[in-house]
Amino acid sequence: MLVILLVLIAVLALLGGVHWYVWRRLVRDVTVRGSLARRLGTAAAFLLPLLSVAALVSARAGAPFRLQQAVAWPGFLWLALLLYLTLALVAGEAVRPLLRRQLDRRAASAGAVRPAGADSPPASADGARPAAPERGRPTGPAGTPRPAPSRGAASGAAAPAEAGGTLLTGLSDAPSADPRVLGADRSTDAGTAEETVRAAGSGSDAPDSAPDGAPENPGDAGRSGGPTVAGADDGSAAGASAAAGPAGPGAVSRRLFVSRVVGGTAAAVAAGTVGYGTYGVFRGPRVKRVVVPLARLPRAAHGYRIAVVSDIHLGPILGRAHTERIVDSINAAQPDLVAVVGDLVDGTVENLGRAAEPLSRLTARHGSFFVTGNHEYFSGADAWVDHVRELGLRPLRNERVEIAAGFDLSGVDDVAGESEGQGPDFGRALGDRDRARAAVLLAHQPVVIHDAVRHGVDLQLSGHTHGGQLWPGNYLADLANPTVAGLERYGDTQLYVSRGAGAWGPPVRVGAPSDITLVQLASKRA
């Protein structure tokens, strides 16, 4: 119990950390503090995880089926989207410094010093250049120089001029009666202009600060005296600070730009991946064909075809239409036998009985057979066994039947049934058979392959793994199963694992397309 509790705490901590990281990169780093976008993003960061938890526990908690359906779509899809958002954002961490460096180079190139004399006034007709007014000494209406400002005011104006140059030009060439613009008030402290530049360049390193020249609170512009004449030509104090180096608002803007590019790209990649994976599930499984040679298969059974379908997972999202697509695909393949190898449902017969009804239309020369999967034991296995029998499928619960073509077909209950005293019993299913005949075993989970080898099974047909369903989940599935998907040999026994026809949780598949497999048996005697 303690181990389970520790694992649960670790999982919750991991999910909390992942959600914080995604919120930081997709909400905090790309929005302005207090904006509507940030408020909506933060609300979603709290609501979506709650919907995911509700989707996972609502069925087992016995919630009304309508409620299960309402929370399943957003809750499960968010889990898939979260996976690929996280992967894309982590990959984007390597791109961020490269993009920042490129932008810094461009900014440095654009801010290079212009050629000498580019700002010199044009020469007169006789070649003499007009005398320029003394710096910081604007002329009056008749060209008479105005009284020079105090030394303190002049030194205060020089600071922003040295930082950017543009501000001084704007101040010099744009006379104004407003003492706040030109610092004409002789009582102004010498450091006022410098402090103005410093205040303009003190934006936060995070994009909580407003973009260049735009105060986060629009009312700040009025309180600070309004725009200056120099600001009309991008000569504001903020602009001067931006030109001074990467510490000003220009650098903040570049960080904001990089965050939005990386975050937007990650969101687009994740949404596209999940969208395509969802389309693959609702398009329906494709029929694949596999030839499996069996040494003891009689010549008369050569070419015998078994349609293997597993992990249909009818539930709050996948319903009757999903079953109809599967049945139509199986019937079109014209198999000799149909094997449904577990995880048919995620819910009770009361809620999903109608969704399973199209199974009654399955047609095969030697009938359709069913074995339980672990999800049947979460949904009332006995009730579902009775229901599929009513639909025309024959359950094999640790049983064996002799197929007229010349081989034995056996089926065992899933290992999840051991908690209810209904686990696999290989002795009952295979103990008294004729070992000279080929044996095909239906077992939901591949992990029982070693029992199948000990009992002389020629071929085991399984599902359960979904092929990983969501890449890179296949690597995790490989740790828990001897075979994740496809055909492999274990001693004299071959194991075929289907990726399944549906999806559990998110109705999304990435890197593991759903399938129905038409297994064609081949006799080595033929």
Side-chain angles (χ1 to χ4, degrees), residues 84-100:
Y84 293 107
L85 275 174
T86 304
L87 293 175
L89 288 170
V90 169
E93 299 296 343
V95 179
R96 285 174 180 273
L98 300 178
L99 187 55
R100 282 288 305 279

Side-chain angles (χ1 to χ4, degrees), residues 366 402-407 437:
H366 290 143
E402 295 183 357
I403 303 300
F407 66 93
R437 291 168 60 90

Side-chain angles (χ1 to χ4, degrees), residues 285-325:
R286 293 291 184 256
V287 176
K288 60 184 297 186
R289 289 168 169 78
V290 176
V291 177
V292 181
L294 301 180
R296 290 182 288 189
L297 189 71
R299 187 189 301 253
H302 181 74
Y304 193 91
R305 296 178 300 173
I306 302 175
V308 181
V309 57
S310 72
D311 302 280
I312 296 175
H313 284 289
L314 300 178
I317 294 178
L318 299 176
R320 185 183 180 98
H322 181 60
T323 312
E324 290 174 344
R325 286 190 292 267

Side-chain angles (χ1 to χ4, degrees), residues 297-473:
L297 189 71
R299 187 189 301 253
H302 181 74
Y304 193 91
R305 296 178 300 173
I306 302 175
V308 181
V309 57
S310 72
D311 302 280
I312 296 175
H313 284 289
L314 300 178
I317 294 178
L318 299 176
R320 185 183 180 98
H322 181 60
T323 312
E324 290 174 344
R325 286 190 292 267
I326 292 170
V327 169
D328 291 342
S329 296
I330 291 175
N331 288 343
Q334 298 181 336
D336 297 303
L337 183 148
V338 177
V340 182
V341 288
D343 278 8
L344 171 64
V345 293
D346 284 307
T348 63
V349 173
E350 178 184 2
N351 292 329
L352 297 172
R354 184 176 178 277
E357 286 177 357
L359 294 174
S360 63
R361 296 195 291 106
L362 286 171
T363 57
R365 182 160 57 105
H366 290 143
S368 301
F369 296 85
F370 170 80
V371 293
T372 57
N374 55 309
H375 281 252
E376 270 72 57
Y377 290 96
F378 305 149
S379 308
D382 291 336
W384 274 111
V385 166
D386 292 340
H387 188 66
V388 297
R389 184 180 284 112
E390 294 172 358
L391 296 176
L393 283 73
R394 177 173 176 177
L396 293 177
R397 309 199 68 182
N398 301 317
E399 299 176 62
R400 174 178 58 85
V401 296
E402 295 183 357
I403 303 300
F407 66 93
D408 293 340
L409 180 70
S410 300
V412 293
D413 285 344
D414 187 70
V415 293
E418 292 176 348
S419 60
E420 302 179 15
Q422 299 178 354
D425 189 334
F426 287 88
R428 285 177 53 194
L430 297 163
D432 59 348
R433 72 180 190 85
D434 182 0
R435 290 290 186 112
R437 291 168 60 90
V440 177
L441 173 68
L442 308 184
H444 177 64
Q445 297 195 41
V447 294
V448 301
I449 181 61
H450 304 295
D451 293 296
V453 172
R454 284 195 295 270
H455 288 82
V457 170
D458 295 270
L459 173 64
Q460 176 179 318
L461 301 174
S462 299
H464 182 65
T465 68
H466 296 207
Q469 185 168 329
L470 296 171
W471 181 93

Side-chain angles (χ1 to χ4, degrees), residues 238-299:
S241 180
V252 174
S253 180
R254 286 195 291 274
R255 281 192 293 272
L256 182 60
F257 175 76
V258 169
S259 294
R260 287 177 174 174
V261 168
V262 174
T265 302
V269 169
T273 301
V274 171
Y276 184 76
T278 304
Y279 165 75
V281 171
F282 284 91
R283 177 195 60 194
R286 293 291 184 256
V287 176
K288 60 184 297 186
R289 289 168 169 78
V290 176
V291 177
V292 181
L294 301 180
R296 290 182 288 189
L297 189 71
R299 187 189 301 253

